Amino acid sequence: MDWEVLDSGPITTEEIIERQRERFGGVKVGSAFFGWLTATGTAGLLAGLLLAIGAVLGLDFTGPGAFAGFGPLDAEAAGWIGAGTSLAILIVAFYCGGYVAGRMARFSGVVQGIAVWVWAIVIAIVGAILGVVLDSRYDLIPDGLVEVPRVAFSEDILVLAGVVAAVVVVVATLGGAILGGMAGVRYHRRVDRVGLDG
């Protein structure tokens, strides 16, 4: 293949990749959707694996003595372990989703990662709206099923804790998706350099 199409001499690998990026870069909605599917599936699989390991170790994730079979852990320590594990699962899941989107799209890894995250937000919002609409129409959740436990904290502290938790989850999942998208695109850059440089 003859790349000498410019009067100034042969086109470099970087110029070829830049031309490809200009033509084929940008947000790929389909790639981002499949990245979101991957993130969702990965999160479900990892959570299921964690519950299976806990069952094998004799941990009770639902009862009041949640970690009683594993050792003397108080409720606060168990809560931090659960929160940290959940956050790690989300980071890994969104990294995998970003990676799939980046690999499929070939270019703009950061943008593909952000698009995976946006898909997750949009589908969560749609799901919440559908849940409210369907519950008000069909009474899907019985009145006594969801009970909010009484806690010994003021509402201000609970609101602040919820806001901080939401910000941490947003930053962690978005960061994981972006890093995954960049890693997925990096694979193609290595292939391009081998193919174009000979």
Side-chain angles (χ1 to χ4, degrees), residues 7-27:
D7 294 334
S8 59
I11 302 175
T12 65
T13 301
E14 285 72 23
E15 289 172 330
I16 293 170
I17 293 171
E18 188 55 38
R19 286 184 179 189
Q20 292 173 341
R21 182 179 292 112
E22 287 174 7
R23 182 164 180 187
F24 298 106
V27 177

Side-chain angles (χ1 to χ4, degrees), residues 124-136:
I125 291 170
V126 169
I129 291 171
L130 283 175
V132 169
V133 169
L134 292 177
D135 182 52
S136 65

Side-chain angles (χ1 to χ4, degrees), residues 62-75:
T62 58
F67 289 87
F70 193 70
L73 293 177
D74 60 357

Side-chain angles (χ1 to χ4, degrees), residues 61-134:
F61 290 102
T62 58
F67 289 87
F70 193 70
L73 293 177
D74 60 357
E76 183 178 351
W80 281 110
I81 290 171
T85 304
S86 299
L87 191 62
I89 286 173
L90 287 173
I91 291 170
V92 170
F94 274 86
Y95 180 89
C96 293
Y99 183 84
V100 166
R103 280 288 298 269
M104 288 181 69
R106 274 190 66 124
F107 298 101
S108 310
V110 172
V111 174
Q112 305 314 327
I114 293 171
V116 168
W117 186 82
V118 169
W119 265 111
I121 297 298
V122 168
I123 291 177
I125 291 170
V126 169
I129 291 171
L130 283 175
V132 169
V133 169
L134 292 177

